[in-house]
Amino acid sequence: MTTLLSLLLGAGPLLLLALNPVHGSDNATLPLVLWHGMGDSCCNPLSMGSIKKMVEETIPGIDVLSLMIGKTVIQDTENGFFMDVNEQVSMVCSQLAQDPKLKDGYNAMGFSQGGQFLRAVAQRCPSPPMKTLISVGGQQQGVYGLPKRPGESSHICDWIRKKLNSGAYTDIVQKHLVQAQYWHDPLNDDLYKKHSLFLADINQERVVNETYKKNLQLLDKFVMVKFLQDSVVDPADTEWFGFLKTGQAKETETLQESVLYKEDRLGLAAMDAAGKLDFLGTEGDHLQFTREWFNAKLVPYLR
């Protein structure tokens, strides 16, 4: 997503072509809330700053809030690695509730891990109301792999990978490593369901929280974007809420084939039947897209 993220995960920078803005917004346009991915920050001019500017140019008059998790950009970046996700979600819920511009509702767009974090906001904090959630490469069923990539920050990835492989579900790793909180090990399903502090909760793995289910179904649209040549997210099917079948680590299943969907533990089957789920695919690696694609495929959801 950013230069840092490119070095860290090999995702490459966003490909934003210098195309003419699309004009013609109206006064009813809802504000947009953005949540960045791992290794990124709210305001990097090469990533989220560029996205914010692009949306503002494309939809004149729109209010765009790019979330900062912490008091500084440095804290924001670090917290994407080391701050308890549940605390991050609570912080964001409080910030959104206090923003008078959002009182009548807002749309939300999360990039990479920001996608599942914003879904947690929708499930836990229905006021102010989120109308449309767009998950751009979000890991909705978690990940089971962290690719080895070269770069000046590769030692961070190496350290995270070692912690995940040695004890993703230990209390200290769960509490202090963000990526462990959406680490989904299909070979240790019982450990995952029992000890995952974040993902197992929002995905209703232990019990069905009817409030989560009700709140998620309040969305008008839940849009999931999958990068068809994604070499960063493993498995890439998680971006469409699919995942590896339990008990092995090779064969995947779609959302519609999963127990989560068949038992409708989160309300996704009902949302699908109501036409509220949209699955978009785009060519390219993780978080690589053009401005032309963004304007054609995602901007219509923001109007």
Side-chain angles (χ1 to χ4, degrees):
M1 181 64 184
T2 66
T3 302
L4 172 59
L5 187 57
S6 302
L7 291 170
L8 184 62
L9 294 179
L14 289 177
L15 305 178
L16 301 178
L17 301 183
L19 301 177
N20 293 327
V22 178
H23 297 289
S25 67
D26 57 53
N27 293 330
T29 301
L30 290 172
L32 175 64
V33 173
L34 304 174
W35 198 333
H36 61 79
M38 179 179 77
D40 202 356
S41 71
C42 64
C43 314
N44 188 318
L46 299 178
S47 58
M48 299 308 296
S50 178
I51 292 290
K52 182 177 186 293
K53 181 180 179 181
M54 181 173 65
V55 172
E56 291 169 341
E57 290 177 348
T58 305
I59 310 176
I62 190 173
D63 288 311
V64 182
L65 170 62
S66 186
L67 293 168
M68 178 186 288
I69 311 302
K71 296 181 179 180
T72 67
V73 169
I74 292 175
Q75 283 186 1
D76 188 20
T77 304
E78 291 175 345
N79 287 338
F81 291 108
F82 304 120
M83 183 179 181
D84 187 320
V85 180
N86 293 308
E87 292 180 13
Q88 294 189 49
V89 171
S90 294
M91 180 187 298
V92 168
C93 286
S94 178
Q95 180 180 352
L96 300 185
Q98 296 174 40
D99 190 333
K101 293 180 180 179
L102 307 181
K103 63 182 178 64
D104 295 324
Y106 65 96
N107 295 321
M109 185 180 298
F111 294 84
S112 200
Q113 68 183 22
Q116 61 264 33
F117 296 173
L118 278 170
R119 174 164 62 85
V121 172
Q123 292 174 206
R124 295 175 178 174
C125 307
S127 181
M130 185 187 297
K131 300 297 186 178
T132 292
L133 171 59
I134 303 175
S135 171
V136 184
Q139 300 95 40
Q140 299 297 332
Q141 274 281 21
V143 297
Y144 185 57
L146 193 67
K148 186 174 180 64
R149 291 286 183 258
E152 64 183 27
S153 299
S154 62
H155 64 283
I156 300 177
C157 257
D158 290 339
W159 182 84
I160 291 174
R161 187 181 301 105
K162 183 182 295 185
K163 293 298 181 184
L164 292 174
N165 289 336
S166 65
Y169 300 121
T170 60
D171 290 343
I172 190 168
V173 173
Q174 276 291 304
K175 190 67 176 176
H176 297 290
L177 185 58
V178 166
Q179 290 68 41
Q181 293 180 44
Y182 57 87
W183 184 259
H184 187 170
D185 187 342
L187 304 178
N188 290 285
D189 195 53
D190 290 341
L191 281 177
Y192 157 68
K193 289 179 178 178
K194 183 177 180 179
H195 296 289
S196 172
L197 292 180
F198 175 70
L199 189 69
D201 176 64
I202 66 165
N203 282 4
Q204 310 275 50
E205 298 282 15
R206 291 185 280 264
V207 297
V208 174
N209 183 326
E210 293 296 339
T211 299
Y212 283 3
K213 187 174 179 179
K214 175 184 176 182
N215 288 344
L216 189 63
Q217 292 180 85
L218 293 175
L219 289 173
D220 294 330
K221 278 286 186 181
F222 180 13
V223 184
M224 288 168 270
V225 177
K226 177 181 177 181
F227 293 89
L228 300 179
Q229 284 79 44
D230 203 316
S231 65
V232 174
V233 174
D234 186 14
D237 290 341
T238 187
E239 296 173 358
W240 278 351
F241 233 122
F243 203 65
L244 295 159
K245 292 183 178 180
T246 301
Q248 50 84 60
K250 292 184 178 180
E251 189 176 354
T252 60
E253 63 184 9
T254 65
L255 167 63
Q256 290 76 9
E257 294 169 333
S258 69
V259 172
L260 178 69
Y261 187 93
K262 291 178 179 178
E263 296 182 357
D264 206 14
R265 298 175 65 85
L266 196 50
L268 292 169
M271 292 177 72
D272 200 11
K276 290 187 173 186
L277 300 185
D278 284 0
F279 302 88
L280 305 183
T282 182
E283 300 295 331
D285 207 339
H286 193 58
L287 299 184
Q288 292 190 357
F289 54 84
T290 64
R291 181 169 185 161
E292 180 181 36
W293 176 87
F294 186 93
N295 284 343
K297 299 299 183 181
L298 300 188
V299 165
Y301 290 105
L302 306 180
R303 295 194 180 280

